[in-house]
Amino acid sequence: MRRRSDEPDTVPLTIRASTSDGADVRLLVEAEVRPALPTHNTGVERITLALVEPALERWVGRHQLSELGGELERSLGGVAAKLRSDLGRLDVDLLRIDVAAVEHLIKSPSAPDRSPRRDPEE
């Protein structure tokens, strides 16, 4: 059965980023999108992934871990408005962004260091 092109798609996203205070977090997000024009239904998911993931990574990087609790959808308002504009220029309507979970990832003492090593002679 072929789905109607005017029905919204729910695009699941996993955002992993560091907060401004250095916490490693993962956001599980759903973006509901649909093509602005019924004839432009190809690539909607790819466009959503390409624009929403980096925008939310940057957003996380501007906040401290303690700021990522509570009503995230409300605090995502500014980035969502910018994304609506950016996606709209590519004929994609962003209907909503829902944050399903925020996870603070605790680094194991035996885990390899993810940060780039600096040369001590620099």
Side-chain angles (χ1 to χ4, degrees):
M1 186 168 132
R2 187 174 177 178
R3 79 177 189 84
R4 292 179 30 199
S5 61
D6 61 344
E7 291 178 11
D9 285 327
T10 299
V11 180
L13 301 144
T14 301
I15 312 301
R16 185 161 180 190
S18 294
T19 61
S20 62
D21 56 349
D24 189 12
V25 297
R26 181 171 46 208
L27 298 180
L28 303 177
V29 177
E30 290 182 341
E32 190 172 290
V33 295
R34 76 169 162 228
L37 304 170
T39 57
H40 293 114
N41 59 355
T42 58
V44 170
E45 183 175 347
R46 185 177 49 84
I47 291 168
T48 302
L49 290 168
L51 294 181
V52 175
E53 276 188 12
L56 292 181
E57 286 172 0
R58 290 187 301 272
W59 182 85
V60 167
R62 290 191 303 266
H63 292 82
Q64 293 188 359
L65 179 62
S66 61
E67 298 171 338
L68 297 182
E71 295 288 326
L72 277 182
E73 283 87 359
R74 192 176 328 198
S75 61
L76 280 172
V79 73
K82 173 81 168 96
L83 284 168
R84 278 188 186 90
S85 173
D86 293 346
L87 288 165
R89 285 194 288 274
L90 297 171
D91 294 328
V92 176
D93 290 333
L94 175 63
L95 304 175
R96 66 180 174 82
I97 294 178
D98 286 335
V99 179
V102 178
E103 301 171 331
H104 178 201
L105 304 173
I106 306 295
K107 183 177 170 184
S108 167
S110 62
D113 187 11
R114 282 187 29 185
S115 62
R117 300 207 181 259
R118 299 182 83 195
D119 185 2
E121 296 181 0
E122 285 184 352

